[in-house]
Every structure is written in structure tokens, then in C-alpha cells.
Amino acid sequence: MEMQLPPHEGDELSVVDMHTGGEPLRIVLGGYPEVKGDSVLSKRRYVREHLDHLRRLLMFEPRGHYDMYGALIVDSEVPEADLGVLFMHNEGYSTMCGHAVIALGRFAVDYKLVKEPQSPETQVNIHCPCGLVRAFVEYSEGKSGAVRFLSVPAFAFATDVMVTVEGFGEVMVDISYGGAFYAFVDAQRFGLDVTKSRTRDLVDAATAVTKAVKSQVKLHHPTSDDLAFLYGTILTDGKDEYSLEPTANVCVFAEAQVDRSPTGSGVTARVALQHHRGLIQLNQTRTFQSGATGSQFTGRAVELYWIGAVRERERQETGEESGEDMQRRAASGNRTRASCVRDQPLYMGHPPNAPSYTGAL
């Protein structure tokens, strides 16, 4: 049966919806006006100042929802990049998103943004606002599969920082960067459990911490002031000592938006923090679980080097596991490169030359 759109007025935006570990990604395929700027960061400023009505249209009801996440593919000024990307959410535009990189890796292969995919793995260079991230997509017999990525430098910014949090008094936090800055706090400080407590209670506590850190701590990034802002707070189960057992966390970012995945850039930042404290060694893989959905990423630090005035830089691998035969890998780190992987980001719909998946965001 052939169907056609009825006559209508106005512009059309074409999108495809995917998810990684339960966290949605709405990728714009077409219909967006020209995004001006000579760099990905300047393009981020342009859409914020001139095209923000389209973000609101795509992210919020009735076409989206409060926790929707989006990606707009743009040209990159970096010659080795296969694509540039701008990330969007309920508050504005982020600088890094691991779950989106995972999904975009498969998207780039499935939609032929990479002209000659290679087996067993195809590299996709994705220029995010925070820098160039390298995704590696499993590819066999014309089909894409698991994804891992190597991210931008990550580092522990500050540890054991005391802030005054409204409703909770003095709270000690750690601050770490994995493409975006996060504050980290053990949820038990608020009498909460990241896997069992009500989401509303977790959101309220994390939001209060974010507001406190934003008002009381000045952040700095060694290469760009555009990156020097707190993206959100990640509440953890406090199990930072190395273990083969998963450690759980919940990320509340932007305007009290809850990440359904373990948070790719957050895992990157958390591994950087754990390595800084001597709790995880180079090439030790740790599993991180979403307190919201139970989906998992793995992460490991793989390299140390100088960045700006800070020495520790690592590369890590992070992956997510959920569902049968899911194998995920990714990378993230302390002054690190990070990467996140999800074996099967699910499409709502049928991508060209890719198997059909079913699933709900």
C-alpha cells in the first residue's frame, strides 16, 4: 500500500530515531537551515543564537519529550573527520555525548556517510564540539554491529570539594571531565540508592548539587572556555574500588534530564576520576551500569600523557551490555580519550541496508 503526505504548509524536518542502552537519539536527516560558522564550536553558538526554535520543536512534546536527545550532522573543519555533529537536549547544546557517538557510528556506516566500510571494523571519525572522537563499528557482510569509541582527553578536575547544597547542607563532591564536566557524589549521602530510589528523589538531589557547584566552583578547561561549564551531576553507588562487579550510577544533566544509559561521557569522566585516585589501573576494564535501566557500558584507561598543564591523560574503552548477544566496547579516560559502545542501537524504522530492529524509546 502506497501512502503520501497530505497537502501541508511549512518546512519539513526528516529524522531517524535510535537509542543506546535505552537513551534516545533523534538524528536530523534533512530540512534544517544552513548552519553558519567556520568551526563546529562556532556552529554550536550559531544554532543556539539563531535556530533554537528548531531544537525546541524536535525535543519537546508533541514531537518529542522532556528527556529527548538529538544530533544535527554538520560539516567539520577537521580534514580527517567523516562528519561533524551538534548535540541537543532539553536545555540547549552539549559538547560531548557518548551514547550519541555510539549510535552515530552505526548510523554513519548504515547511511553510507563512510563510503567504503571495512571488515571486521570500520573507523568513523566524528567531530564533536569537544573535539575529534573516533568510533569503531563492527562490520560484516554488509551489516553494522557493535561500536566502540576513543574519546577526547579526560581528567579529574577537583576532588573532595565541599559545597553548600540547599536542603542538604555541606556536601563533598568530585568534579571530572570526559568531554563535559560532571560533579560526582555517592547517592548514600542523601539516603538514596541509584538502583532502587524514586527517580524524582534522585533528580532533586542531583539538581541541587548541580546548582551548588555552578554557583560555588569556577571550572576551567585547558583548551577552550566554551567547554568550561558543568553539564550535570552523576550520583553513584559509591563502589569506586576496582571490582569485576558492575558499579551503578544515574546521570542528571541539562535541565534535570535523566540519562537512561550509563552515560558515555560520564563513564569517561568517572574512569578518569578513579584512575586519578589510584582505584583503577591502565587497561583494567570496569563495568558501569545505569541505575535507571540496568544497561551497561565498560570502560578502561589506556594511556597517560600531558594535556595543557595537567599530566594525566588516559584513553579508555567503554561499552554497554543489554539484551542477548550484546557486546559493547568503548573508550574514555583521565586527560583521556574516551569511547562508548552499544552493540545494537535500535532504529525506530528501517535504515537502508541494515537489519530491521524493533524497540521503544
Coordinates of all heavy atoms in Angstrom, one line a residue, residues 152-234:
V152 N 37.9 12.2 23.5 CA 38.8 13.3 23.8 C 39.5 13.2 25.1 O 39.0 12.4 25.9 CB 38.1 14.7 23.7 CG1 37.5 14.9 22.3 CG2 36.9 14.7 24.7
P153 N 40.5 14.0 25.4 CA 41.1 13.9 26.7 C 40.2 14.1 27.9 O 39.3 15.0 27.9 CB 42.1 15.1 26.7 CG 42.4 15.2 25.2 CD 41.1 14.9 24.5
A154 N 40.3 13.3 28.9 CA 39.5 13.4 30.1 C 40.4 13.5 31.3 O 41.6 13.1 31.3 CB 38.6 12.1 30.3
F155 N 39.9 14.1 32.4 CA 40.7 14.3 33.6 C 39.9 14.6 34.8 O 38.8 15.1 34.7 CB 41.7 15.5 33.3 CG 41.0 16.8 32.9 CD1 40.6 17.7 33.8 CD2 40.8 17.0 31.5 CE1 40.0 18.9 33.4 CE2 40.1 18.2 31.1 CZ 39.7 19.1 32.0
A156 N 40.5 14.3 35.9 CA 39.9 14.7 37.2 C 40.2 16.2 37.4 O 41.4 16.6 37.5 CB 40.5 13.9 38.4
F157 N 39.2 17.0 37.6 CA 39.4 18.5 37.7 C 39.6 18.8 39.2 O 40.6 19.6 39.5 CB 38.2 19.2 37.2 CG 38.3 20.7 37.4 CD1 39.0 21.5 36.5 CD2 37.6 21.3 38.4 CE1 39.1 22.8 36.6 CE2 37.7 22.7 38.6 CZ 38.4 23.5 37.7
A158 N 38.8 18.3 40.1 CA 39.0 18.6 41.5 C 38.3 17.5 42.3 O 37.3 16.9 41.9 CB 38.3 20.0 41.8
T159 N 39.0 17.2 43.5 CA 38.4 16.1 44.3 C 38.2 16.7 45.7 O 38.8 17.6 46.2 CB 39.4 14.9 44.4 OG1 40.7 15.4 44.9 CG2 39.5 14.3 43.0
D160 N 37.2 16.1 46.4 CA 36.9 16.4 47.8 C 36.6 17.9 47.9 O 37.1 18.6 48.9 CB 38.0 16.0 48.7 CG 38.3 14.5 48.7 OD1 37.3 13.7 48.4 OD2 39.4 14.1 48.9
V161 N 35.8 18.4 47.0 CA 35.4 19.8 47.1 C 34.1 19.9 47.9 O 33.1 19.2 47.7 CB 35.1 20.4 45.7 CG1 34.6 21.8 45.7 CG2 36.4 20.2 44.8
M162 N 34.1 20.8 48.9 CA 32.9 21.0 49.8 C 32.1 22.1 49.3 O 32.6 23.2 49.1 CB 33.4 21.3 51.2 CG 32.2 21.2 52.2 SD 31.7 19.4 52.4 CE 33.1 18.8 53.4
V163 N 30.8 21.8 49.0 CA 29.9 22.8 48.6 C 28.7 22.8 49.5 O 28.3 21.8 50.1 CB 29.4 22.6 47.1 CG1 30.6 22.8 46.1 CG2 28.8 21.3 46.9
T164 N 28.0 23.9 49.6 CA 26.8 24.0 50.4 C 25.6 23.8 49.5 O 25.3 24.6 48.6 CB 26.7 25.4 51.1 OG1 27.8 25.6 51.9 CG2 25.4 25.4 52.0
V165 N 24.9 22.7 49.7 CA 23.7 22.3 48.8 C 22.4 22.6 49.5 O 22.2 22.2 50.7 CB 23.8 20.8 48.5 CG1 22.7 20.4 47.6 CG2 25.2 20.5 47.8
E166 N 21.6 23.4 48.9 CA 20.3 23.7 49.5 C 19.5 22.5 49.9 O 19.3 21.6 49.0 CB 19.5 24.6 48.5 CG 18.2 25.1 49.1 CD 17.4 26.0 48.2 OE1 17.9 26.3 47.1 OE2 16.3 26.5 48.6
G167 N 19.1 22.4 51.1 CA 18.3 21.3 51.6 C 19.1 20.2 52.1 O 18.5 19.3 52.8
F168 N 20.4 20.2 51.9 CA 21.3 19.1 52.3 C 22.5 19.5 53.1 O 23.2 18.7 53.6 CB 21.7 18.3 51.1 CG 20.6 17.6 50.3 CD1 20.1 18.2 49.2 CD2 20.0 16.5 50.8 CE1 19.1 17.6 48.5 CE2 18.9 15.9 50.1 CZ 18.5 16.5 48.9
G169 N 22.8 20.8 53.2 CA 23.9 21.3 53.9 C 25.2 21.1 53.1 O 25.2 21.1 51.9
E170 N 26.3 20.9 53.8 CA 27.6 20.7 53.1 C 27.7 19.3 52.6 O 27.5 18.3 53.2 CB 28.7 21.0 54.1 CG 28.8 22.5 54.5 CD 30.1 22.8 55.3 OE1 30.7 21.8 55.9 OE2 30.6 23.9 55.3
V171 N 28.1 19.3 51.3 CA 28.3 18.0 50.6 C 29.6 18.0 49.9 O 30.0 19.0 49.2 CB 27.2 17.8 49.5 CG1 27.4 16.6 48.7 CG2 25.8 17.8 50.2
M172 N 30.4 16.9 50.0 CA 31.7 16.8 49.4 C 31.5 16.2 48.0 O 30.8 15.1 47.8 CB 32.6 15.9 50.2 CG 34.0 15.9 49.7 SD 35.2 15.0 50.8 CE 35.2 16.2 52.2
V173 N 32.0 16.8 46.9 CA 31.9 16.3 45.6 C 33.2 16.2 44.9 O 34.2 16.9 45.3 CB 31.0 17.3 44.7 CG1 29.6 17.5 45.4 CG2 31.6 18.6 44.5
D174 N 33.3 15.4 43.9 CA 34.4 15.4 42.9 C 33.9 15.9 41.6 O 32.7 15.7 41.2 CB 34.9 13.9 42.8 CG 35.4 13.3 44.0 OD1 36.1 14.1 44.9 OD2 35.2 12.1 44.3
I175 N 34.8 16.5 40.9 CA 34.5 17.1 39.6 C 35.5 16.5 38.5 O 36.7 16.6 38.7 CB 34.5 18.6 39.6 CG1 33.6 19.2 40.6 CG2 34.2 19.2 38.2 CD1 33.7 20.7 40.9
S176 N 34.9 16.0 37.5 CA 35.8 15.3 36.4 C 35.2 15.6 35.1 O 34.0 15.9 34.9 CB 35.8 13.8 36.7 OG 36.9 13.2 35.9
Y177 N 36.1 15.5 34.1 CA 35.8 15.9 32.7 C 36.0 14.7 31.8 O 37.0 14.0 31.8 CB 36.7 17.0 32.2 CG 36.5 17.5 30.8 CD1 35.5 18.4 30.4 CD2 37.3 17.0 29.8 CE1 35.3 18.8 29.1 CE2 37.1 17.3 28.5 CZ 36.1 18.3 28.1 OH 35.9 18.6 26.8
G178 N 35.0 14.4 30.9 CA 35.0 13.4 29.9 C 34.4 13.8 28.6 O 33.7 13.1 28.0
G179 N 34.8 15.1 28.2 CA 34.1 15.7 27.1 C 33.1 16.7 27.5 O 32.7 17.6 26.8
A180 N 32.7 16.6 28.8 CA 31.8 17.5 29.5 C 32.2 17.4 31.0 O 32.6 16.3 31.4 CB 30.4 17.2 29.3
F181 N 32.0 18.4 31.8 CA 32.2 18.4 33.2 C 31.0 17.8 34.0 O 29.9 18.2 33.7 CB 32.5 19.8 33.7 CG 33.9 20.2 33.4 CD1 34.2 21.1 32.4 CD2 35.0 19.8 34.2 CE1 35.5 21.5 32.1 CE2 36.3 20.3 33.9 CZ 36.5 21.1 32.9
Y182 N 31.3 16.9 35.0 CA 30.3 16.4 35.8 C 30.8 16.5 37.3 O 31.9 16.4 37.6 CB 30.0 14.9 35.5 CG 29.4 14.6 34.2 CD1 30.3 14.3 33.1 CD2 28.1 14.7 34.0 CE1 29.8 14.0 31.9 CE2 27.5 14.4 32.7 CZ 28.4 14.1 31.7 OH 27.9 13.8 30.4
A183 N 29.8 16.7 38.2 CA 30.0 16.5 39.6 C 29.6 15.1 40.0 O 28.6 14.6 39.5 CB 29.2 17.5 40.4
F184 N 30.4 14.5 40.9 CA 30.1 13.1 41.3 C 29.9 13.1 42.8 O 30.7 13.6 43.6 CB 31.3 12.2 40.9 CG 31.4 11.9 39.5 CD1 32.1 12.8 38.7 CD2 30.9 10.8 38.9 CE1 32.3 12.6 37.3 CE2 31.0 10.6 37.5 CZ 31.7 11.5 36.7
V185 N 28.8 12.4 43.2 CA 28.5 12.3 44.6 C 27.9 10.9 44.9 O 27.2 10.4 44.1 CB 27.5 13.3 45.1 CG1 27.3 13.2 46.6 CG2 27.9 14.7 44.7
D186 N 28.3 10.3 46.0 CA 27.7 9.0 46.4 C 26.3 9.3 46.8 O 26.0 10.1 47.7 CB 28.5 8.4 47.6 CG 28.1 7.0 48.0 OD1 26.9 6.6 47.7 OD2 28.8 6.4 48.7
A187 N 25.3 8.6 46.2 CA 23.9 8.8 46.5 C 23.6 8.5 47.9 O 22.6 9.1 48.5 CB 23.1 7.9 45.6
Q188 N 24.4 7.7 48.6 CA 24.1 7.4 50.0 C 24.2 8.7 50.9 O 23.6 8.7 52.0 CB 25.0 6.3 50.5 CG 24.9 5.0 49.8 CD 25.9 4.0 50.3 OE1 25.9 3.6 51.5 NE2 26.7 3.4 49.4
R189 N 24.9 9.7 50.4 CA 25.0 10.9 51.2 C 23.6 11.5 51.3 O 23.3 12.3 52.3 CB 25.9 11.9 50.4 CG 25.9 13.4 50.9 CD 26.3 13.5 52.3 NE 26.2 14.9 52.8 CZ 25.1 15.5 53.1 NH1 24.0 14.9 53.1 NH2 25.2 16.8 53.5
F190 N 22.7 11.2 50.5 CA 21.3 11.7 50.5 C 20.3 10.7 51.0 O 19.1 10.9 50.9 CB 20.9 12.3 49.1 CG 21.9 13.2 48.5 CD1 22.8 12.8 47.5 CD2 22.0 14.5 49.0 CE1 23.7 13.7 47.0 CE2 23.0 15.4 48.5 CZ 23.8 15.0 47.5
G191 N 20.9 9.5 51.4 CA 20.0 8.5 51.8 C 19.3 7.8 50.6 O 18.2 7.2 50.8
L192 N 20.0 7.8 49.5 CA 19.3 7.3 48.3 C 20.1 6.1 47.7 O 21.3 5.9 48.0 CB 19.2 8.4 47.2 CG 18.4 9.6 47.6 CD1 18.5 10.6 46.5 CD2 16.9 9.2 47.8
D193 N 19.5 5.3 46.9 CA 20.1 4.2 46.2 C 19.8 4.4 44.7 O 18.7 4.5 44.3 CB 19.4 2.8 46.7 CG 20.1 1.6 46.1 OD1 20.3 1.6 44.9 OD2 20.3 0.6 46.8
V194 N 20.9 4.4 43.9 CA 20.7 4.7 42.5 C 19.9 3.7 41.7 O 19.4 3.9 40.6 CB 22.1 5.0 41.8 CG1 22.7 6.2 42.3 CG2 23.0 3.7 41.9
T195 N 19.8 2.5 42.2 CA 19.0 1.4 41.5 C 17.6 1.2 42.1 O 16.8 0.6 41.5 CB 19.8 0.1 41.6 OG1 19.9 -0.3 42.9 CG2 21.2 0.2 41.0
K196 N 17.4 1.8 43.3 CA 16.1 1.5 43.9 C 15.3 2.7 44.3 O 14.0 2.6 44.4 CB 16.3 0.7 45.2 CG 17.0 -0.7 45.0 CD 17.2 -1.4 46.3 CE 17.9 -2.8 46.1 NZ 18.2 -3.5 47.4
S197 N 15.9 3.8 44.5 CA 15.2 5.0 44.9 C 14.3 5.6 43.8 O 14.5 5.3 42.6 CB 16.1 6.1 45.4 OG 16.8 5.7 46.6
R198 N 13.3 6.4 44.2 CA 12.5 7.0 43.2 C 13.3 8.0 42.3 O 14.1 8.7 42.8 CB 11.3 7.8 43.9 CG 10.3 7.0 44.6 CD 9.1 7.9 45.0 NE 9.6 9.3 45.5 CZ 8.8 10.3 45.5 NH1 7.5 10.2 45.1 NH2 9.2 11.5 46.0
T199 N 13.0 8.0 41.0 CA 13.7 8.8 40.1 C 13.6 10.3 40.5 O 14.6 11.1 40.5 CB 13.2 8.6 38.7 OG1 13.4 7.3 38.3 CG2 14.0 9.5 37.7
R200 N 12.4 10.7 41.0 CA 12.2 12.1 41.4 C 13.1 12.5 42.5 O 13.7 13.6 42.5 CB 10.7 12.2 41.8 CG 10.4 13.6 42.2 CD 10.2 14.6 41.1 NE 11.5 15.3 40.8 CZ 11.7 16.0 39.7 NH1 10.9 15.9 38.7 NH2 12.8 16.7 39.6
D201 N 13.4 11.6 43.5 CA 14.2 11.9 44.6 C 15.7 12.0 44.1 O 16.4 12.9 44.6 CB 14.1 10.8 45.7 CG 12.8 10.8 46.3 OD1 12.1 11.8 46.3 OD2 12.4 9.7 46.8
L202 N 16.1 11.1 43.2 CA 17.4 11.2 42.6 C 17.6 12.5 41.8 O 18.7 13.2 42.0 CB 17.7 10.0 41.7 CG 17.7 8.6 42.4 CD1 17.7 7.5 41.4 CD2 19.0 8.5 43.3
V203 N 16.6 12.9 41.1 CA 16.7 14.1 40.3 C 16.8 15.3 41.2 O 17.6 16.2 41.0 CB 15.5 14.2 39.3 CG1 15.4 15.6 38.7 CG2 15.6 13.2 38.2
D204 N 16.0 15.4 42.2 CA 16.0 16.5 43.1 C 17.4 16.7 43.8 O 17.9 17.8 43.9 CB 15.0 16.4 44.2 CG 13.5 16.5 43.7 OD1 13.4 17.0 42.5 OD2 12.6 16.1 44.4
A205 N 18.0 15.6 44.3 CA 19.3 15.6 44.9 C 20.4 16.1 43.9 O 21.2 17.0 44.2 CB 19.6 14.3 45.5
A206 N 20.4 15.5 42.7 CA 21.4 15.8 41.7 C 21.3 17.2 41.3 O 22.3 17.9 41.1 CB 21.3 14.8 40.6
T207 N 20.0 17.7 41.1 CA 19.8 19.0 40.6 C 20.3 20.0 41.6 O 20.9 21.1 41.3 CB 18.3 19.3 40.3 OG1 17.9 18.3 39.3 CG2 18.1 20.7 39.8
A208 N 20.1 19.7 42.9 CA 20.5 20.6 44.0 C 22.1 20.7 44.0 O 22.6 21.8 44.2 CB 20.0 20.2 45.3
V209 N 22.7 19.6 43.7 CA 24.2 19.6 43.7 C 24.7 20.4 42.5 O 25.6 21.2 42.6 CB 24.7 18.1 43.6 CG1 26.2 18.2 43.3 CG2 24.4 17.4 44.9
T210 N 24.1 20.2 41.3 CA 24.5 20.9 40.1 C 24.4 22.5 40.4 O 25.3 23.2 40.0 CB 23.6 20.5 38.9 OG1 23.8 19.1 38.6 CG2 23.9 21.4 37.7
K211 N 23.3 22.9 40.9 CA 23.1 24.3 41.2 C 24.2 24.8 42.2 O 24.7 25.9 42.0 CB 21.7 24.6 41.8 CG 20.6 24.4 40.8 CD 19.2 24.6 41.4 CE 18.1 24.5 40.4 NZ 16.7 24.7 41.0
A212 N 24.5 24.0 43.2 CA 25.5 24.5 44.1 C 26.9 24.6 43.5 O 27.6 25.6 43.7 CB 25.5 23.5 45.3
V213 N 27.3 23.6 42.7 CA 28.6 23.6 42.1 C 28.7 24.7 41.1 O 29.7 25.4 41.0 CB 28.9 22.2 41.4 CG1 30.2 22.3 40.6 CG2 29.0 21.1 42.5
K214 N 27.6 25.0 40.3 CA 27.7 26.0 39.3 C 27.9 27.4 40.0 O 28.6 28.3 39.5 CB 26.4 26.1 38.5 CG 26.3 25.0 37.5 CD 25.0 25.1 36.7 CE 24.9 24.1 35.5 NZ 23.7 24.3 34.7
S215 N 27.3 27.6 41.2 CA 27.4 28.9 41.8 C 28.6 29.0 42.7 O 29.0 30.2 43.0 CB 26.1 29.1 42.7 OG 26.1 28.1 43.8
Q216 N 29.3 27.9 43.1 CA 30.4 28.0 44.0 C 31.7 27.5 43.5 O 32.8 27.8 44.2 CB 30.0 27.1 45.3 CG 28.8 27.6 46.0 CD 28.3 26.6 47.0 OE1 29.1 26.1 47.8 NE2 27.0 26.4 47.1
V217 N 31.8 26.9 42.3 CA 33.1 26.4 41.8 C 33.3 26.9 40.4 O 32.4 26.8 39.5 CB 33.1 24.9 41.8 CG1 34.4 24.4 41.2 CG2 32.8 24.3 43.2
K218 N 34.4 27.5 40.1 CA 34.7 28.0 38.8 C 35.5 26.9 38.0 O 36.5 26.5 38.5 CB 35.5 29.3 38.9 CG 35.9 29.9 37.5 CD 36.6 31.2 37.6 CE 37.0 31.7 36.2 NZ 35.9 31.9 35.3
L219 N 35.0 26.5 36.9 CA 35.6 25.5 36.1 C 36.5 26.1 35.1 O 36.3 27.2 34.6 CB 34.5 24.6 35.4 CG 33.5 23.9 36.3 CD1 32.6 23.1 35.5 CD2 34.3 23.0 37.3
H220 N 37.5 25.3 34.7 CA 38.4 25.7 33.6 C 38.8 24.5 32.8 O 39.0 23.4 33.3 CB 39.7 26.3 34.3 CG 40.8 26.5 33.3 ND1 40.8 27.5 32.4 CD2 42.0 25.8 33.0 CE1 41.9 27.4 31.6 NE2 42.6 26.4 32.0
H221 N 38.8 24.7 31.5 CA 39.3 23.7 30.5 C 40.6 24.2 29.9 O 40.7 25.4 29.5 CB 38.2 23.4 29.5 CG 38.6 22.2 28.6 ND1 39.4 22.3 27.5 CD2 38.3 20.9 28.7 CE1 39.6 21.1 27.0 NE2 38.9 20.3 27.7
P222 N 41.6 23.3 29.7 CA 42.9 23.8 29.3 C 42.9 24.3 27.8 O 43.9 25.0 27.5 CB 43.8 22.6 29.4 CG 42.8 21.4 29.5 CD 41.6 21.9 30.1
T223 N 41.9 24.0 27.0 CA 42.0 24.4 25.6 C 40.9 25.3 25.1 O 41.1 26.0 24.2 CB 42.0 23.2 24.7 OG1 40.8 22.5 24.8 CG2 43.2 22.3 25.0
S224 N 39.7 25.4 25.8 CA 38.6 26.2 25.3 C 37.7 26.6 26.5 O 37.2 25.7 27.2 CB 37.8 25.4 24.3 OG 36.7 26.1 23.9
D225 N 37.4 27.9 26.5 CA 36.4 28.3 27.5 C 35.0 27.9 27.2 O 34.1 27.8 28.1 CB 36.4 29.9 27.6 CG 37.7 30.4 28.2 OD1 38.4 29.7 28.9 OD2 38.0 31.6 27.9
D226 N 34.7 27.5 25.9 CA 33.4 27.0 25.6 C 33.1 25.7 26.3 O 31.9 25.3 26.4 CB 33.3 26.8 24.0 CG 33.1 28.1 23.3 OD1 32.5 29.0 23.8 OD2 33.6 28.2 22.1
L227 N 34.1 25.0 26.7 CA 33.9 23.7 27.3 C 33.9 23.8 28.9 O 33.6 22.8 29.5 CB 35.1 22.7 26.9 CG 35.3 22.6 25.4 CD1 36.5 21.7 25.2 CD2 34.0 22.0 24.7
A228 N 34.1 25.0 29.4 CA 34.2 25.1 30.9 C 32.9 25.4 31.5 O 32.7 26.5 32.1 CB 35.2 26.2 31.2
F229 N 32.0 24.4 31.5 CA 30.7 24.6 32.2 C 30.3 23.2 32.8 O 30.7 22.2 32.2 CB 29.6 25.1 31.3 CG 29.2 24.2 30.2 CD1 28.2 23.3 30.3 CD2 29.9 24.2 29.0 CE1 27.8 22.5 29.3 CE2 29.6 23.4 28.0 CZ 28.5 22.5 28.1
L230 N 29.6 23.2 33.9 CA 29.1 21.9 34.5 C 27.9 21.5 33.7 O 26.9 22.2 33.6 CB 28.8 22.1 35.9 CG 28.5 20.8 36.7 CD1 29.8 20.1 36.9 CD2 27.8 21.1 38.0
Y231 N 28.0 20.2 33.2 CA 26.9 19.7 32.4 C 25.8 19.0 33.3 O 24.6 19.0 33.0 CB 27.4 18.7 31.4 CG 26.5 18.1 30.4 CD1 25.5 18.9 29.9 CD2 26.7 16.8 29.9 CE1 24.6 18.4 28.9 CE2 25.9 16.3 28.9 CZ 24.8 17.1 28.4 OH 24.0 16.6 27.4
G232 N 26.2 18.4 34.4 CA 25.3 17.8 35.3 C 26.0 17.1 36.5 O 27.2 17.3 36.7
T233 N 25.2 16.4 37.2 CA 25.7 15.6 38.4 C 25.4 14.1 38.2 O 24.3 13.8 37.8 CB 25.0 16.1 39.7 OG1 25.5 17.5 39.9 CG2 25.4 15.3 40.9
I234 N 26.4 13.3 38.5 CA 26.2 11.9 38.5 C 26.2 11.3 39.9 O 27.2 11.5 40.6 CB 27.3 11.2 37.6 CG1 27.2 11.7 36.2 CG2 27.2 9.7 37.7 CD1 28.2 11.2 35.2

